[in-house]
Amino acid sequence: MEVIIQPTEDAASLLVARLIARELRGHPQLVLGLATGRTMERVYDHLSAMHQDEGLDFSLCTTFNLDEYIGLAPDDPQSYRFYMNHHLFGRVNIDPRNTHLPDGLAKDIKAECARYEDLIRDCGGVDLQLLGIGRSGHIGFNEPLSALRSRTRDKALTPETIAQNAPMFGGDPTRVPRRAITMGVGTILDSGRCLVLATGPAKADIVARAVEGPITSSITASALQLHERCTVIVDEAAAAQLKGTDYYRWIFANEPEWEEFRP
Ligand code: GLP
């Protein structure tokens, strides 16, 4: 795992977008794992701008989202399918047939989870997985005590997650679905590279625990310590409780991989 600290939320989001763009340019048939949440909106704004201004080409790219609420239709403004169409898919030249999210309306949820896993495998696996982190420490909707080898399945949301996501439901926690389909921690760990973005002071505590604390199913983001290629990108506010910041800053300032991204 490596941690890259950027001065602001916008700089952190731009770096994530530039890393995705570099992968896509080098490998136009990229299988890209995508995430939702407020943190990702700026990343998608930057990617859309790169498509408009620099011709960043998504036409051969395939995407798999981490999760979807159970019970919400794709045209429900609170569904993650709607979020993705609005923030990214409708703004770039991606083929909608190559964009995948779990079907939150599936009659047979177990079969839908198995179908999603099979589809990821049939596409050759996720090359690059984008991830946010919930305040419960979740990645996707892998809530505390999710098995660290779990695959795509349905999961009950914690009250903390329901409260965290209530602002997207008009501030009313009773409108937030109680369950979701999510890629498992094991599914995520199978991806070729993980890029985690966390910004703002509300994430500082959970970032420090996930990155520098012990690996535990109580904080599923901590399982990313097992991944061979996981980069955590944070702004100063989200880095505030990390202990190893001198080393992390040294990496960004000195490692050749980051040269093209330094100001
Ligand atoms: C939801 C998603 C997560 C995301 C989290 C963070 O719970 N299922 O994948 O990481 O939101 O959201 P935000 O970026 O709004 O803090």
Side-chain angles (χ1 to χ4, degrees), residues 150-168:
S150 51
R151 313 303 304 186
T152 301
R153 70 214 184 290
D154 52 321
K155 197 71 195 152
L157 306 187
T158 62
E160 187 182 13
T161 296
I162 290 170
Q164 188 193 330
N165 291 354
M168 277 78 81

Side-chain angles (χ1 to χ4, degrees), residues 138-152:
H138 67 209
I139 44 176
F141 271 130
N142 289 288
E143 297 288 40
L145 306 192
S146 289
L148 299 187
R149 299 176 65 175
S150 51
R151 313 303 304 186
T152 301

Side-chain angles (χ1 to χ4, degrees), residues 36-39 66-67 80 132-134 138 140-141 161 164-165 203:
T36 52
R38 283 155 290 192
T39 313
L66 286 166
D67 45 19
Y80 284 164
I133 180 167
H138 67 209
F141 271 130
T161 296
Q164 188 193 330
N165 291 354
K203 298 287 171 73

Side-chain angles (χ1 to χ4, degrees), residues 68-72 104 109-110 141 153-157 162 176-182:
E68 178 60 282
Y69 289 113
I70 292 177
L72 297 192
I109 295 290
K110 298 268 179 281
F141 271 130
R153 70 214 184 290
D154 52 321
K155 197 71 195 152
L157 306 187
I162 290 170
V176 181
R178 292 319 193 229
R179 305 183 68 78
I181 297 176
T182 180

Side-chain angles (χ1 to χ4, degrees), residues 34-44 65 68 74 76-91 101 168:
L34 295 174
T36 52
R38 283 155 290 192
T39 313
M40 296 304 155
E41 292 178 14
R42 280 174 190 249
V43 175
Y44 298 143
N65 266 77
E68 178 60 282
D76 185 313
Q78 271 77 43
S79 74
Y80 284 164
R81 164 57 80 178
F82 190 96
Y83 171 106
M84 289 310 306
N85 288 345
H86 178 74
H87 289 290
L88 185 66
F89 301 153
R91 302 164 78 190
L101 285 91
M168 277 78 81

Side-chain angles (χ1 to χ4, degrees), residues 15-261:
L15 178 57
V16 169
R18 289 179 68 193
L19 287 165
I20 294 171
R22 187 179 62 174
E23 291 295 316
L24 196 53
R25 288 193 185 102
H27 181 189
Q29 294 182 328
L30 191 72
V31 179
L32 184 58
L34 295 174
T36 52
R38 283 155 290 192
T39 313
M40 296 304 155
E41 292 178 14
R42 280 174 190 249
V43 175
Y44 298 143
D45 286 345
H46 285 301
L47 287 173
S48 304
M50 288 173 185
H51 169 68
Q52 290 295 328
D53 304 341
E54 303 161 21
L56 183 65
D57 181 17
F58 288 81
S59 63
L60 299 177
C61 175
T62 298
T63 65
F64 285 93
N65 266 77
L66 286 166
D67 45 19
E68 178 60 282
Y69 289 113
I70 292 177
L72 297 192
D75 60 355
D76 185 313
Q78 271 77 43
S79 74
Y80 284 164
R81 164 57 80 178
F82 190 96
Y83 171 106
M84 289 310 306
N85 288 345
H86 178 74
H87 289 290
L88 185 66
F89 301 153
R91 302 164 78 190
V92 299
N93 66 333
I94 197 160
D95 183 338
R97 291 170 300 183
N98 292 340
T99 66
H100 305 286
L101 285 91
D103 177 3
L105 290 185
K107 287 207 172 55
D108 184 340
I109 295 290
K110 298 268 179 281
E112 170 59 11
C113 295
R115 181 194 71 84
Y116 203 65
E117 280 282 327
D118 290 348
L119 198 56
I120 295 172
R121 198 193 51 227
D122 292 348
C123 288
V126 172
D127 296 312
L128 176 64
Q129 178 66 57
L130 180 60
L131 296 154
I133 180 167
R135 269 179 255 159
S136 71
H138 67 209
I139 44 176
F141 271 130
N142 289 288
E143 297 288 40
L145 306 192
S146 289
L148 299 187
R149 299 176 65 175
S150 51
R151 313 303 304 186
T152 301
R153 70 214 184 290
D154 52 321
K155 197 71 195 152
L157 306 187
T158 62
E160 187 182 13
T161 296
I162 290 170
Q164 188 193 330
N165 291 354
M168 277 78 81
F169 290 81
D172 179 0
T174 65
R175 289 181 54 215
V176 181
R178 292 319 193 229
R179 305 183 68 78
I181 297 176
T182 180
M183 279 189 202
V185 181
T187 320
I188 293 166
L189 291 178
D190 281 350
S191 60
R193 183 175 186 184
C194 288
L195 270 188
V196 183
L197 175 63
T199 55
K203 298 287 171 73
D205 172 60
I206 199 66
V207 164
R209 293 202 285 152
V211 169
E212 295 177 337
I215 297 173
T216 168
S217 65
S218 296
I219 299 171
T220 56
S222 68
L224 295 169
Q225 294 176 33
L226 295 167
H227 198 283
E228 288 174 320
R229 240 184 132 214
C230 176
T231 304
V232 179
I233 296 171
V234 287
D235 64 358
E236 290 288 353
Q241 292 184 39
L242 288 167
K243 294 196 176 70
T245 50
D246 288 351
Y247 176 55
Y248 311 149
R249 290 184 209 284
W250 190 93
I251 294 282
F252 186 67
N254 292 284
E255 282 292 281
E257 183 193 351
W258 298 106
E259 194 174 334
E260 66 183 284
F261 300 107

